[in-house]
């Protein structure tokens, strides 16, 4: 057999062996990450009293060195349609950055403390449940028309609009009207630990991207009152103080951001 042929076969065998080792290592890392996410999801479900496994992700590759060093780069947790005593259902989200899991193990026990460099937590209420709370069944919530409302154009990193001048569109039947109107609404937070979301209607909106329906002067006060309310019990995951409130898509979102905090999974759902 020619020397060149033997060398070529040797190189092919070597490359195949290295590729198999690399693929095996990647597969092992991927499998470990999937298992850790599964266990984290189950532990969040148990700690939060959910009836299903929430979506979770442990981000960053490779995974195994992070677990070995007891330091995860980023964790995301999302639980949609969670039972809420005030609005019926809400969604809960949290994004954790630079998580020290020394005391929690790589599978993160529900009651074990985690020291986190930065926490972002959100409670999300969709238009349907806001409308039911306000007795405006066809309510649609939108960001102020002057603002973009996506993950790159909003006023926060998570794409949440500002809190002033949100567009609420619906039929104020209690005020004696049978047509949809659009109302400018400001959001604010008040009460103990700022857990009450206050919606204050400030005026009727007409023109593009609204219902473009005028309200008679004798109905104006009643309509503004019907589009104003207070929604209590808005406790953010992990007990963070709210730092912003606004709209994203057709949802109202309250968000809190804090740095250098210690949390455990039992604090994910507080209401």
């Amino acid at each position: 057999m020619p020397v060149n042929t033997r060398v070529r076969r040797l190189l092919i065998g070597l490359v195949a062996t290295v590729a198999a080792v690399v693929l095996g290592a990647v597969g092992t890392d991927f499998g470990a990450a999937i298992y850790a996410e599964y266990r984290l999801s189950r532990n969040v479900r148990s700690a939060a009293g959910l009836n299903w496994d929430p979506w979770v992700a442990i981000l960053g590759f490779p995974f195994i060195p992070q677990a070995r060093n007891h330091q995860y780069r980023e964790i995301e947790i999302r639980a949609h349609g969670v039972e809420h005593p005030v609005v019926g259902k809400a969604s809960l989200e949290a994004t954790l950055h630079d998580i020290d899991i020394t005391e929690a193990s790589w599978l993160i026990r529900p009651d074990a403390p985690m020291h986190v460099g930065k926490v972002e937590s959100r409670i999300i209420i969709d238009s349907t449940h806001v409308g039911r709370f306000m007795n405006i069944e066809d309510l649609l919530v939108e960001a102020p028309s002057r603002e973009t409302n996506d993950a790159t154009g909003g006023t926060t990193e998570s794409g949440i609009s500002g809190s002033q001048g949100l567009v609420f569109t619906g039929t104020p039947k209690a005020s004696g009207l049978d047509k949809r109107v659009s109302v400018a609404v400001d959001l604010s937070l008040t009460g103990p630990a700022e857990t009450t979301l206050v919606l204050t209607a400030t005026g009727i909106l007409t023109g593009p991207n609204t219902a473009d329906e005028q309200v008679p002067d004798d109905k104006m006060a009643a309509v503004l009152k019907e589009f104003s309310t207070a929604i209590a019990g808005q406790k953010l995951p992990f007990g963070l103080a709210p730092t912003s409130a606004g709209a994203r898509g057709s949802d109202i979102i309250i968000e809190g951001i804090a740095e250098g905090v210690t949390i455990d999974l039992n604090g994910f759902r507080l209401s």
Side-chain angles (χ1 to χ4, degrees), residues 159-205:
I160 303 172
S161 76
S163 61
Q164 307 296 304
L166 276 69
V167 182
F168 279 42
T169 300
T171 306
K173 295 180 181 179
S175 302
L177 299 182
D178 58 3
K179 294 183 179 180
R180 302 182 82 211
V181 301
S182 293
V183 180
V185 176
D186 294 345
L187 306 182
S188 59
L189 291 150
T190 188
E194 295 184 297
T195 57
T196 298
L197 177 66
V198 178
L199 284 61
T200 304
T202 60
I204 303 302
L205 299 172

Coordinates of all heavy atoms in Angstrom, one line a residue, residues 159-205:
G159 N -38.6 46.1 26.4 CA -39.5 46.6 25.4 C -40.8 47.1 26.0 O -41.8 47.1 25.3
I160 N -40.8 47.6 27.2 CA -42.0 48.1 27.9 C -42.1 49.6 27.6 O -41.1 50.3 27.7 CB -41.9 47.9 29.4 CG1 -41.8 46.4 29.7 CG2 -43.2 48.4 30.1 CD1 -41.6 46.1 31.2
S161 N -43.3 50.1 27.2 CA -43.5 51.5 26.9 C -43.4 52.3 28.2 O -43.3 51.8 29.3 CB -44.8 51.7 26.3 OG -45.9 51.6 27.3
G162 N -43.5 53.6 28.0 CA -43.6 54.5 29.2 C -45.0 54.3 29.8 O -45.9 53.7 29.3
S163 N -45.1 54.9 31.0 CA -46.3 54.8 31.8 C -47.4 55.8 31.5 O -48.5 55.7 32.1 CB -46.0 54.8 33.3 OG -45.4 56.0 33.6
Q164 N -47.1 56.8 30.7 CA -48.1 57.9 30.4 C -48.7 57.8 29.1 O -48.0 57.5 28.1 CB -47.3 59.2 30.5 CG -46.5 59.4 31.8 CD -47.4 59.5 33.0 OE1 -48.4 60.3 33.1 NE2 -47.2 58.6 34.0
G165 N -50.0 58.0 29.0 CA -50.7 58.1 27.7 C -50.9 56.7 27.0 O -51.0 56.7 25.8
L166 N -51.0 55.6 27.8 CA -51.4 54.4 27.1 C -52.8 54.5 26.5 O -53.6 55.3 26.9 CB -51.4 53.2 28.1 CG -50.1 52.6 28.4 CD1 -49.1 53.5 29.2 CD2 -50.3 51.3 29.2
V167 N -53.0 53.8 25.4 CA -54.3 53.8 24.7 C -55.1 52.7 25.1 O -54.8 51.5 24.8 CB -54.0 53.8 23.2 CG1 -55.4 53.9 22.4 CG2 -53.1 54.9 22.8
F168 N -56.3 53.0 25.8 CA -57.2 51.9 26.1 C -58.5 52.1 25.2 O -59.0 53.2 25.2 CB -57.7 52.1 27.6 CG -56.7 51.5 28.6 CD1 -55.4 51.7 28.5 CD2 -57.2 50.9 29.7 CE1 -54.5 51.1 29.4 CE2 -56.4 50.3 30.7 CZ -55.0 50.5 30.5
T169 N -58.8 51.1 24.5 CA -60.0 51.2 23.6 C -61.0 50.1 24.0 O -60.7 48.9 24.1 CB -59.5 51.0 22.1 OG1 -58.6 52.0 21.8 CG2 -60.7 51.0 21.2
G170 N -62.2 50.5 24.2 CA -63.3 49.6 24.5 C -64.6 50.3 24.6 O -64.7 51.5 24.4
T171 N -65.7 49.6 24.8 CA -67.0 50.1 24.8 C -67.5 50.4 26.3 O -67.7 49.4 27.1 CB -68.0 49.1 24.2 OG1 -67.6 48.8 22.9 CG2 -69.4 49.8 24.1
P172 N -67.6 51.6 26.7 CA -68.0 52.0 28.1 C -69.5 51.9 28.3 O -70.2 52.9 28.4 CB -67.5 53.4 28.2 CG -67.6 54.0 26.9 CD -67.3 52.9 25.9
K173 N -70.0 50.7 28.3 CA -71.5 50.5 28.4 C -72.1 51.0 29.7 O -73.2 51.5 29.7 CB -71.8 49.0 28.3 CG -71.4 48.3 27.0 CD -71.7 46.8 26.9 CE -71.3 46.2 25.6 NZ -71.6 44.8 25.6
A174 N -71.3 51.0 30.8 CA -71.9 51.5 32.0 C -72.1 53.0 32.0 O -72.9 53.6 32.7 CB -70.9 51.2 33.2
S175 N -71.4 53.7 31.0 CA -71.6 55.1 30.8 C -72.7 55.4 29.8 O -73.0 56.6 29.5 CB -70.3 55.8 30.3 OG -69.3 55.6 31.3
G176 N -73.4 54.4 29.3 CA -74.5 54.5 28.4 C -74.1 54.7 26.9 O -74.9 55.1 26.1
L177 N -72.8 54.3 26.6 CA -72.4 54.3 25.2 C -72.4 52.9 24.6 O -72.1 51.9 25.3 CB -71.0 55.0 25.1 CG -70.9 56.4 25.6 CD1 -69.5 56.9 25.3 CD2 -71.9 57.3 24.9
D178 N -72.6 52.8 23.3 CA -72.6 51.5 22.7 C -71.6 51.4 21.6 O -71.6 50.5 20.7 CB -74.0 51.2 22.1 CG -74.5 52.2 21.1 OD1 -73.7 53.2 20.8 OD2 -75.6 52.1 20.6
K179 N -70.7 52.4 21.5 CA -69.6 52.4 20.5 C -68.2 52.4 21.3 O -68.1 53.0 22.3 CB -69.7 53.5 19.6 CG -70.9 53.5 18.6 CD -70.9 54.7 17.7 CE -72.1 54.6 16.7 NZ -72.1 55.7 15.8
R180 N -67.2 51.8 20.6 CA -65.9 51.8 21.2 C -65.3 53.2 21.2 O -65.4 53.9 20.2 CB -65.0 50.8 20.5 CG -65.5 49.4 20.5 CD -64.5 48.5 19.8 NE -63.4 48.1 20.7 CZ -62.2 47.8 20.3 NH1 -61.9 47.9 19.1 NH2 -61.3 47.4 21.2
V181 N -64.6 53.6 22.2 CA -63.9 54.8 22.3 C -62.5 54.5 22.7 O -62.2 53.5 23.3 CB -64.6 55.8 23.3 CG1 -66.0 56.1 22.9 CG2 -64.5 55.3 24.7
S182 N -61.6 55.5 22.5 CA -60.2 55.3 22.9 C -59.9 56.4 23.9 O -60.2 57.6 23.7 CB -59.2 55.5 21.7 OG -59.4 54.4 20.8
V183 N -59.2 56.0 25.0 CA -58.9 56.8 26.1 C -57.4 56.8 26.5 O -56.8 55.7 26.4 CB -59.8 56.4 27.3 CG1 -59.5 57.3 28.5 CG2 -61.2 56.4 27.0
A184 N -56.9 58.0 26.8 CA -55.5 58.0 27.2 C -55.5 57.7 28.7 O -56.2 58.3 29.5 CB -54.9 59.4 27.0
V185 N -54.6 56.8 29.1 CA -54.6 56.3 30.5 C -53.1 56.3 31.0 O -52.2 55.9 30.3 CB -55.1 54.9 30.6 CG1 -55.0 54.3 32.1 CG2 -56.6 54.8 30.2
D186 N -52.9 56.9 32.2 CA -51.6 56.9 32.9 C -51.6 55.8 33.9 O -52.6 55.5 34.6 CB -51.4 58.2 33.5 CG -51.2 59.4 32.5 OD1 -51.1 59.1 31.3 OD2 -51.3 60.5 33.0
L187 N -50.4 55.2 34.0 CA -50.2 54.1 35.0 C -49.3 54.7 36.2 O -48.4 55.4 35.9 CB -49.5 52.9 34.4 CG -50.2 52.3 33.2 CD1 -49.4 51.0 32.8 CD2 -51.6 51.9 33.5
S188 N -49.6 54.3 37.4 CA -48.8 54.6 38.5 C -48.9 53.4 39.5 O -49.8 52.6 39.4 CB -49.1 55.9 39.1 OG -50.5 55.9 39.6
L189 N -48.0 53.4 40.5 CA -48.0 52.4 41.5 C -48.1 53.0 42.9 O -47.3 54.0 43.1 CB -46.8 51.5 41.4 CG -46.9 50.6 40.1 CD1 -45.5 50.3 39.6 CD2 -47.6 49.3 40.4
T190 N -48.9 52.4 43.8 CA -49.0 53.0 45.1 C -49.3 51.9 46.1 O -49.3 50.7 45.7 CB -50.2 54.1 45.1 OG1 -50.2 54.8 46.3 CG2 -51.5 53.4 44.8
G191 N -49.5 52.3 47.3 CA -49.9 51.3 48.4 C -48.7 50.7 49.0 O -47.5 51.0 48.6
P192 N -48.9 49.7 49.9 CA -47.8 49.0 50.5 C -46.9 48.3 49.5 O -47.3 47.6 48.7 CB -48.5 48.0 51.4 CG -49.9 48.6 51.6 CD -50.2 49.3 50.4
A193 N -45.6 48.6 49.6 CA -44.6 48.1 48.7 C -44.9 48.4 47.2 O -44.5 47.7 46.3 CB -44.4 46.6 48.9
E194 N -45.8 49.4 47.0 CA -46.2 49.8 45.6 C -46.7 48.6 44.8 O -46.4 48.3 43.7 CB -45.0 50.4 44.9 CG -44.5 51.7 45.5 CD -43.3 52.3 44.6 OE1 -42.3 51.6 44.5 OE2 -43.5 53.4 44.1
T195 N -47.7 47.9 45.4 CA -48.3 46.7 44.8 C -49.7 47.0 44.2 O -50.3 46.0 43.8 CB -48.4 45.5 45.8 OG1 -49.1 46.0 47.0 CG2 -47.0 45.1 46.3
T196 N -50.1 48.2 44.3 CA -51.4 48.6 43.7 C -51.1 49.4 42.4 O -50.5 50.4 42.4 CB -52.3 49.4 44.6 OG1 -52.6 48.6 45.8 CG2 -53.6 49.8 44.0
L197 N -51.6 48.8 41.3 CA -51.5 49.5 40.0 C -52.7 50.4 39.8 O -53.8 50.0 39.8 CB -51.4 48.5 38.9 CG -51.4 49.0 37.5 CD1 -50.1 49.8 37.2 CD2 -51.6 47.9 36.4
V198 N -52.4 51.7 39.7 CA -53.5 52.7 39.5 C -53.6 53.1 38.0 O -52.6 53.5 37.4 CB -53.2 54.0 40.4 CG1 -54.3 55.0 40.2 CG2 -53.2 53.6 41.8
L199 N -54.8 53.0 37.4 CA -55.0 53.4 36.1 C -55.9 54.7 36.1 O -57.0 54.7 36.6 CB -55.8 52.4 35.3 CG -55.0 51.1 34.8 CD1 -54.5 50.3 36.0 CD2 -55.9 50.2 34.0
T200 N -55.3 55.8 35.6 CA -56.0 57.1 35.6 C -56.3 57.6 34.2 O -55.3 57.9 33.4 CB -55.1 58.1 36.3 OG1 -54.8 57.7 37.6 CG2 -55.9 59.5 36.4
A201 N -57.5 57.6 33.8 CA -57.9 58.1 32.5 C -57.8 59.6 32.4 O -58.3 60.3 33.3 CB -59.3 57.7 32.1
T202 N -57.2 60.1 31.4 CA -56.9 61.6 31.3 C -57.6 62.3 30.2 O -57.7 63.5 30.2 CB -55.4 61.8 31.2 OG1 -54.9 61.2 30.0 CG2 -54.7 61.3 32.4
G203 N -58.1 61.5 29.2 CA -58.8 62.2 28.1 C -59.2 61.3 27.0 O -58.7 60.1 26.9
I204 N -60.0 61.7 26.0 CA -60.4 60.9 24.9 C -59.5 61.1 23.7 O -59.0 62.3 23.5 CB -61.9 61.3 24.5 CG1 -62.8 61.2 25.7 CG2 -62.3 60.5 23.3 CD1 -62.9 59.8 26.3
L205 N -59.2 60.0 23.1 CA -58.3 60.1 21.9 C -59.0 59.9 20.6 O -59.9 59.0 20.5 CB -57.2 59.0 22.0 CG -56.3 59.1 23.3 CD1 -55.4 57.9 23.4 CD2 -55.4 60.4 23.2

